[in-house]
Amino acid sequence: MSEFEGRCLCGAVRFAITPPTLFFAHCHCRYCREAHGAAFVSWVGAALERFRLLPGSAEPHWYRSSAQSRRGFCADCGTPLTFAYNTPEARLHVTIGSLDDPELAAIETQYGLDAKISC
């Protein structure tokens, strides 16, 4: 695949990720669960230089969700899109659910298993 493209629910924020990616993972931590209202969140990790907004796209808005991190979302429809640590490491996590073809993302690992909800 040459790129993963994605968008928010209303289409205002549109982006592309150029492989190689760093990981495909589910996160079960409390912050991800609360931020998304779900039992876990699925992420694709990429080096920051591999993420780009597509022409005409709005910029995501950022919310500082903890002292260590921030989360990006669409200001128009509220779709959660990204996660980034406040560190010099230049990588970005993007929600797999916002990808145009999420079925191409093969989950490789899981994080936050100590906080996983048993169903």
Side-chain angles (χ1 to χ4, degrees):
M1 162 162 259
S2 61
E3 285 190 322
F4 293 96
E5 289 191 7
R7 66 192 70 239
C8 64
L9 182 62
C10 72
V13 179
R14 296 177 303 119
F15 61 87
I17 302 167
T18 304
T21 57
L22 300 171
F23 60 82
F24 294 102
H26 293 317
C27 184
H28 302 269
C29 81
R30 180 178 65 90
Y31 291 108
C32 283
R33 291 194 328 260
E34 289 179 357
H36 295 261
F40 61 91
V41 180
S42 302
W43 298 105
V44 54
L48 190 55
E49 68 268 9
R50 300 210 167 267
F51 175 88
R52 67 183 171 83
L53 294 173
L54 295 175
S57 175
E59 289 279 338
H61 280 71
W62 290 92
Y63 169 71
R64 187 175 177 127
S65 55
S66 73
Q68 299 84 20
S69 63
R70 59 194 178 121
R71 294 173 185 272
F73 62 95
C74 174
D76 292 335
C77 66
T79 300
L81 296 167
T82 59
F83 170 87
Y85 287 108
N86 299 328
T87 63
E89 181 182 25
R91 78 176 188 190
L92 189 67
H93 303 194
V94 178
T95 56
I96 290 175
S98 65
L99 298 178
D100 291 343
D101 298 306
E103 67 278 358
L104 298 177
I107 300 301
E108 303 159 337
T109 191
Q110 297 187 61
Y111 298 106
L113 290 174
D114 57 325
K116 183 177 178 181
I117 296 171
S118 296
C119 297

